[in-house]
Amino acid sequence: MSWRASVLTLFPGMFPGPLGQSLAGRGLAGGAWSLEVREIREVATDRHRKVDDTPFGGGAGMVMRPDIVDAALGLVADIRPMIYLTPRGRPLSQARVRDLAAGAGVVLLCGRFEGVDERVIEARGLEEVSIGDYVLSGGEPAALVLLDACVRLLPGVMGAAESASEESFSPGDYAGLLEYPHYTRPAEWQGRAVPDVLLSGHHGAVAAWRRGEAERITRERRPDLWAAYQLARGRTIASSGIAP
Ligand code: SAH
């Protein structure tokens, strides 16, 4: 069976949105993955179909009710991981994306307002995931980001031409490094030339240049990744018995 995504949202019209186009869209149309979108309001039974209420303890904004969110999760829950998108979650990583893509699929809960009642997060054992240290108005764009990252890794979605094997945050030759710069034709553009080594036809020299650039960019832009890379490299050198 293909990879299955279920999304719980107050705004079903936001899906598939951008995921209906390009690689993800073709994969969706071709059956590489499927998308089920449920409107949380469909489980609200009172006259006004209320899904939220004011926070105990006071303060601004509204909170999504635990009984409503629980009933909505009940519509789709199975063996798949259930994720609540929230700025206080664990930051989404390529490693988590790879694991999710290798599984049966995912259930995503999109918050609105101030978020959801804490008790349903506990009761359902929801995994909390953030897409970055900034605040969105709702979980829907975060769900689209997470799905895009997973879907492109599914078998048959990304062609060989768009291989994921050598990119940032992936194991392989450039593990732990940001990607090196890319160039294509024209060889000279607005007075800017492509680095000579890339035109040399010398594969070893090209590989060395790319590694040097990947290291420089990582060192300059991401001290956190650079420190982890050096640590990992130090360990490799130590275990090979060669003095660093
Ligand atoms: N009061 C919350 C923010 C609520 S934003 C706080 O201060 O943490 C409303 C909803 O948008 C959240 O429930 C969550 O589902 C979603 N959201 C906002 N920013 C997000 C982020 N960086 N990552 C994932 N989801 C986010």
Side-chain angles (χ1 to χ4, degrees), residues 138-195:
E140 289 79 8
L144 292 169
V145 165
L146 186 151
L147 290 176
D148 182 282
C150 290
V151 162
R152 64 191 285 280
L153 298 183
L154 299 176
V157 169
M158 191 155 50
E162 296 121 340
S163 166
S165 62
E166 271 199 0
E167 61 196 9
S168 305
F169 313 119
S170 292
D173 289 352
Y174 298 92
L177 295 174
L178 298 176
E179 205 173 44
Y180 51 79
H182 298 292
Y183 299 89
T184 184
R185 277 180 277 280
E188 190 175 320
W189 174 74
Q190 292 193 350
R192 295 165 186 270
V194 166

Side-chain angles (χ1 to χ4, degrees), residues 84-88 109-116 129-140 142:
Y84 170 45
L85 284 317
T86 164
R88 63 172 214 193
L109 170 63
C110 303
R112 281 274 155 179
F113 321 117
E114 291 308 314
V116 309
V129 172
S130 166
I131 65 158
D133 291 343
Y134 38 80
V135 179
L136 305 168
S137 53
E140 289 79 8

